[in-house]
Amino acid sequence: MSAQPVTALYVPGDRPDRFDKAVASGADLVILDLEDAVAAESKSSALASVVSWLTGRKGASSPLIQVRVNPGATHEVQQLRATGARLELRIPKVDTAADVEWAVAVWPEAELTAIIESAHGLQQMEAVAQHPRVTRLALGESDLASDLGTRDNAVLDHLRIRLLIAARAAGLPAPMLSAYPYLHDPDGLRADTERGRALGWFGRAAVHPRQLEVIRSVFAPSEEDESWARAVLAAIERGGVSTLPNGEMVDPAMAGRARRILGNP
């Protein structure tokens, strides 16, 4: 699996004029969307545009590319695999572990992000996370809000915590936050991203390049964080019982967080 991205940018699959711009945006992950962002009558042309662009990129390694396919669309996965491009698949509407099997049957080696978008999917997400081809979990917050009839912060926090636990219990990285839909609300984006970070999530998807800098800044470690991390790792390396200048006792269990802060998971 590739390094954990901090920023992701969604691009509609029927907007090939934006593909290269998305790559140049500085996003760690570019998600070419064949599902919700594309109208039914444009899905065939969107797939053709994505396949053509990916074929021309064969061999390129940066940034990471994902394609969000349509549920059960085996022809999409077949054509994406045939490009030979380095990419991952993003599988929507995953209610059970069986809901990714159709993609695995077509592309057994593919790395999959499973998107949980319903109450039923939440009840089954532990099994989904344990699937051997699922390497990341994601939350479809808008679909879930429709299914549950609410997007109150208390409910959203609960959903995020549950998905985080399912991911980490399966040995998967902390999920990335879903895209914040309000393009002209950078303060809201920052506040909600900080809220997600406080809950243990890492990184966020964007629907416009202007959102990337806010996301990146929220997840950038502060000088205080980095100083703490270096002090913790130094104390652990010395061995024995140790405390930091602020009186905090150092334990080997703190090493994982310290390494993540310093970009060395």
Side-chain angles (χ1 to χ4, degrees), residues 78-243:
Q78 287 169 343
Q79 292 187 46
L80 292 169
R81 184 184 187 188
T83 67
R86 173 181 171 268
L87 60 94
E88 298 179 1
L89 299 178
R90 203 167 179 90
I91 311 296
K93 310 295 190 293
V94 176
D95 281 347
T96 70
D99 290 336
V100 303
E101 283 296 335
W102 66 270
V104 175
V106 178
W107 194 348
E109 305 83 17
E111 295 186 2
L112 310 178
T113 294
I115 311 176
I116 306 298
E117 304 187 63
S118 70
H120 185 70
L122 283 168
Q123 293 297 89
Q124 300 294 320
M125 62 186 170
E126 288 84 1
V128 172
Q130 295 287 344
H131 191 286
R133 296 315 307 163
V134 170
T135 56
R136 310 180 200 271
L137 292 182
L139 200 61
E141 291 181 2
S142 294
D143 288 88
L144 264 169
S146 296
D147 193 28
L148 299 175
T150 178
R151 62 178 309 127
D152 185 83
N153 279 339
V155 175
L156 188 56
D157 286 352
H158 175 72
L159 301 178
R160 287 173 173 175
I161 291 167
R162 288 189 62 188
L163 197 76
L164 172 68
I165 292 170
R168 299 303 294 138
L172 304 182
M176 297 185 81
L177 293 159
S178 302
Y180 187 75
Y182 307 106
L183 292 182
H184 304 295
D185 183 15
D187 293 337
L189 169 63
R190 179 175 294 278
D192 189 66
T193 305
E194 289 175 345
R195 188 183 189 94
R197 182 188 180 188
L199 292 176
W201 284 51
F202 187 82
R204 182 161 213 160
V207 291
H208 193 282
R210 73 166 67 102
Q211 296 179 316
L212 295 175
E213 185 51 41
V214 172
I215 296 167
R216 193 177 292 114
S217 67
V218 169
F219 288 99
S222 66
E223 290 184 10
E224 182 179 356
D225 290 336
E226 291 180 341
S227 177
W228 176 89
R230 284 191 290 268
V232 165
L233 293 178
I236 291 172
E237 188 173 336
R238 289 193 299 270
V241 177
S242 182
T243 58

Side-chain angles (χ1 to χ4, degrees), residues 60-85:
S61 60
S62 182
L64 174 63
I65 304 294
Q66 288 186 352
V67 179
R68 181 163 71 170
V69 296
N70 288 282
T74 56
H75 68 291
E76 293 179 355
V77 177
Q78 287 169 343
Q79 292 187 46
L80 292 169
R81 184 184 187 188
T83 67

